[in-house]
Amino acid sequence: MSLKSERRGIHVDQSELLCKKGCGYYGNPAWQGFCSKCWREEYHKARQKQIQEDWELAERLQREEEEAFASSQSSQGAQSLTFSKFEEKKTNEKTRKVTTVKKFFSASSRVGSKKEIQEAKAPSPSINRQTSIETDRVSKEFIEFLKTFHKTGQEIYKQTKLFLEAMHYKRDLSIEEQSECTQDFYQSVAERVQTRGKVPPERVEKIMDQIEKYIMTRLYKYVFCPETTDDEKKDLAIQKRIRALHWVTPQMLCVPVNEEIPEVSDMVVKAITDIIEMDSKRVPRDKLACITKCSKHIFNAIKITKNEPASADDFLPTLIYIVLKGNPPRLQSNIQYITRFCNPSRLMTGEDGYYFTNLCCAVAFIEKLDAQSLNLSQEDFDRYMSGQTSPRKQESENWSPDACLGVKQMYKNLDLLSQLNERQERIMNEAKKLEKDLIDWTDGIAKEVQDIVEKYPLEIKPPNQSLAAIDSENVENDKLPPPLQPQVYAG
């Protein structure tokens, strides 16, 4: 594969990041291209339509049952008093069921009734139990922050506590409904602070940030990647996808970053660290801050490499490369968590919203990445994905004259490493073969010995008769000379 300077890069027009309804705010793939405001409007329309359809279906079923009951009643003739009571009871039961269906699908079921809120004032075991150090710290900071607003701060704290207690009784709802409750609470508090408290807009933003930090620190373990969703399944799918794309090089994505420059390499490492650190945060705003820091490091890396300010066309491919290289944990869960529970004003405007929208686009690009996206043939793409070969080898005649010397040296080193890897594999294969041969030889010798032993069994004969002692009586003793007699020397 040749690296050509004229190859097509990844381009996303600025208009593609905006809400497809044309309101001017940033859209989000999780909201089907709408911004937070337009998505909620579309969601409510669809919800009201579903409620109306369910209500009409319930009424139709009720009419059909009443007609069937009336026809069966007329065919039976005169009614008894007991049967009349049964009819009245059945009608009341049907009316109660229809009313229950209507209440379940009504918008009021999301925010809770006054009776629910009054019941929620009773302290729940979950809220009163021993909290973590971080939760205690956030609570103290929140109380200290609200003291500067006097009466308005007291009202905010009271409403926030009521909301948390009400959410305790709404854990059985779907995560989308809990998200709607949270977004409704954000909106109602912001409007109340602006209208009743006469707080300037810049301070309202700070208040909302503190409210979000306080409530989401407490709700985090219940609403982040809940078991009722497929967030974990999506996390595993995107992680597997990114691991399968480990062979993608910066040149394939047209990434304008030269990691041979020490400063650029440091920026890349910091960007990867920031995007990975996002998973350790509990507040949506803090997760957004990690994305923003990562994006700023990317812009700095591009600026140092090109000696000029980076453009949007340079930023998105580099962000994709950072995500592929870092493979952040629970990426989809973090994106969904931010989408559901972050203050919507942050996602609709500002640099946080811009960088978050680009991250969503990067993840969508990775999920749909194919051979055409990388300017590869389908055959090469399939071989790379299957691991049959690697695109990292680069022939010297394929380099353009103005190619960076550092990049050439990098690929030369990669080629040498690949050759060493092949030699290592050959040595390991030969070693395994030698080991197998030794085992086979040992087994063969053992078998031959066993065959010989079976063919010529060992016979143990009884021991021979023991030799006679020297001083025992023996017929041959007569032939021996007489023993020497001791002589006395008179000296």
Side-chain angles (χ1 to χ4, degrees):
M1 182 200 67
S2 61
L3 300 179
K4 300 179 181 179
S5 59
E6 64 269 20
R7 72 184 303 167
R8 173 177 56 85
I10 301 171
H11 173 74
V12 175
D13 192 87
Q14 182 70 15
S15 60
E16 298 179 17
L17 302 178
L18 300 178
C19 176
K20 66 181 183 180
K21 202 171 182 179
C23 63
Y25 296 119
Y26 289 119
N28 192 318
W31 294 326
Q32 301 179 6
F34 293 103
C35 67
S36 175
K37 180 181 178 182
C38 296
W39 166 250
R40 294 187 69 194
E41 293 176 356
E42 294 295 325
Y43 177 81
H44 283 304
K45 288 180 182 178
R47 187 179 180 83
Q48 291 299 327
K49 182 179 178 182
Q50 183 66 34
I51 292 172
Q52 183 65 27
E53 292 177 354
D54 292 338
W55 175 245
E56 292 175 356
L57 176 62
E59 288 183 335
R60 182 170 61 83
L61 293 175
Q62 182 181 6
R63 287 196 303 269
E64 291 177 357
E65 186 173 347
E66 290 175 351
E67 291 173 0
F69 180 74
S71 61
S72 64
Q73 182 184 22
S74 60
S75 63
Q76 291 177 0
Q79 306 178 31
S80 63
L81 181 60
T82 305
F83 200 79
S84 299
K85 292 183 178 179
F86 172 77
E87 178 189 5
E88 181 181 357
K89 181 179 179 182
K90 190 172 186 63
T91 303
N92 294 337
E93 180 70 12
K94 189 63 181 178
T95 304
R96 185 184 64 80
K97 289 182 178 180
V98 173
T99 306
T100 304
V101 171
K102 183 176 179 181
K103 287 183 178 180
F104 178 80
F105 287 102
S106 64
S108 61
S109 65
R110 292 184 290 104
V111 297
S113 61
K114 292 183 178 180
K115 183 178 180 180
E116 288 178 339
I117 296 177
Q118 292 294 332
E119 293 175 353
K121 289 182 179 181
S124 64
S126 174
I127 296 178
N128 286 341
R129 67 170 175 237
Q130 185 67 28
T131 56
S132 65
I133 297 177
E134 182 180 0
T135 304
D136 292 339
R137 178 180 58 82
V138 171
S139 300
K140 292 178 181 178
E141 291 177 356
F142 184 60
I143 295 173
E144 291 297 325
F145 173 79
L146 292 179
K147 286 181 179 179
T148 59
F149 294 90
H150 306 294
K151 187 176 180 180
T152 303
Q154 295 177 0
E155 181 66 21
I156 293 173
Y157 184 76
K158 178 181 177 182
Q159 294 298 324
T160 305
K161 293 291 289 184
L162 287 176
F163 169 76
L164 287 174
E165 292 171 351
M167 286 295 290
H168 171 71
Y169 294 96
K170 295 179 183 293
R171 291 178 188 169
D172 293 336
L173 299 179
S174 66
I175 195 64
E176 287 76 17
E177 291 178 308
Q178 295 185 57
S179 172
E180 282 293 307
C181 292
T182 306
Q183 299 296 333
D184 290 341
F185 176 71
Y186 286 153
Q187 183 177 359
S188 63
V189 171
E191 292 176 353
R192 182 174 301 180
V193 170
Q194 286 181 335
T195 55
R196 298 184 182 180
K198 307 297 181 181
V199 179
E202 60 274 7
R203 299 202 70 184
V204 172
E205 191 70 21
K206 293 182 179 180
I207 292 174
M208 297 308 300
D209 289 343
Q210 291 295 326
I211 292 176
E212 176 189 314
K213 183 178 181 180
Y214 176 69
I215 65 174
M216 295 316 302
T217 300
R218 290 176 171 268
L219 297 177
Y220 175 79
K221 59 183 177 181
Y222 304 112
V223 299
F224 181 83
C225 191
E227 296 180 355
T228 56
T229 66
D230 58 350
D231 292 351
E232 185 177 0
K233 183 179 179 180
K234 292 180 179 179
D235 290 334
L236 297 176
I238 192 65
Q239 280 195 338
K240 183 178 179 181
R241 176 69 171 172
I242 292 176
R243 283 197 300 267
L245 294 170
H246 68 278
W247 49 267
V248 176
T249 63
Q251 290 75 22
M252 293 179 181
L253 297 171
C254 299
V255 176
V257 168
N258 183 8
E259 295 186 64
E260 292 296 315
I261 303 175
E263 295 180 1
V264 175
S265 179
D266 291 341
M267 291 295 174
V268 170
V269 172
K270 290 179 180 179
I272 294 174
T273 302
D274 289 332
I275 197 69
I276 292 176
E277 188 182 0
M278 173 179 62
D279 186 59
S280 65
K281 305 299 181 182
R282 305 179 70 178
V283 183
R285 181 169 61 92
D286 295 340
K287 293 182 181 291
L288 275 179
C290 291
I291 299 174
T292 301
K293 288 193 295 182
C294 169
S295 302
K296 289 183 177 180
H297 287 314
I298 291 174
F299 273 106
N300 290 334
I302 298 173
K303 183 179 180 181
I304 295 173
T305 302
K306 299 181 65 175
N307 291 323
E308 62 181 16
S311 63
D313 292 339
D314 296 332
F315 170 68
L316 183 57
T318 311
L319 179 60
I320 294 172
Y321 173 67
I322 293 297
V323 174
L324 288 175
K325 196 169 182 179
N327 198 359
R330 299 193 292 185
L331 181 58
Q332 287 285 10
S333 291
N334 282 287
I335 290 177
Q336 292 295 333
Y337 178 69
I338 294 172
T339 302
R340 293 166 181 157
F341 297 101
C342 185
N343 187 356
S345 62
R346 283 190 170 273
L347 301 183
M348 295 164 59
T349 57
E351 62 178 7
D352 288 343
Y354 174 77
Y355 295 141
F356 179 71
T357 303
N358 274 274
L359 177 61
C360 295
C361 292
V363 174
F365 177 85
I366 291 172
E367 291 175 337
K368 300 178 181 179
L369 189 144
D370 55 11
Q372 185 179 2
S373 304
L374 300 175
N375 293 331
L376 296 174
S377 65
Q378 188 62 43
E379 181 182 358
D380 288 341
F381 183 82
D382 293 338
R383 286 192 296 116
Y384 297 155
M385 289 294 291
S386 63
Q388 296 178 1
T389 185
S390 173
R392 296 185 180 277
K393 292 185 179 181
Q394 193 63 231
E395 302 296 336
S396 57
E397 59 270 14
N398 292 333
W399 289 103
S400 59
D402 56 345
C404 176
L405 295 176
V407 175
K408 289 183 180 180
Q409 184 63 39
M410 178 184 68
Y411 276 93
K412 183 179 179 181
N413 294 338
L414 289 173
D415 190 25
L416 291 175
L417 289 174
S418 179
Q419 295 177 13
L420 290 173
N421 186 46
E422 293 176 359
R423 290 178 59 185
Q424 178 72 11
E425 289 180 356
R426 287 198 301 269
I427 293 173
M428 292 300 298
N429 291 333
E430 292 295 332
K432 290 180 179 178
K433 182 180 178 182
L434 177 59
E435 182 182 10
K436 183 177 181 301
D437 292 342
L438 288 173
I439 293 174
D440 293 342
W441 178 81
T442 304
D443 294 341
I445 295 297
K447 187 176 184 304
E448 291 179 4
V449 172
Q450 184 66 24
D451 293 342
I452 292 173
V453 170
E454 292 177 355
K455 187 175 181 181
Y456 305 102
L458 180 64
E459 295 181 2
I460 302 177
K461 296 182 179 180
N464 296 329
Q465 187 176 0
S466 59
L467 298 177
I470 295 177
D471 55 349
S472 65
E473 295 182 357
N474 197 323
V475 295
E476 296 180 354
N477 289 345
D478 298 337
K479 300 179 181 180
L480 294 176
L484 296 177
Q485 297 296 326
Q487 297 179 1
V488 179
Y489 180 66

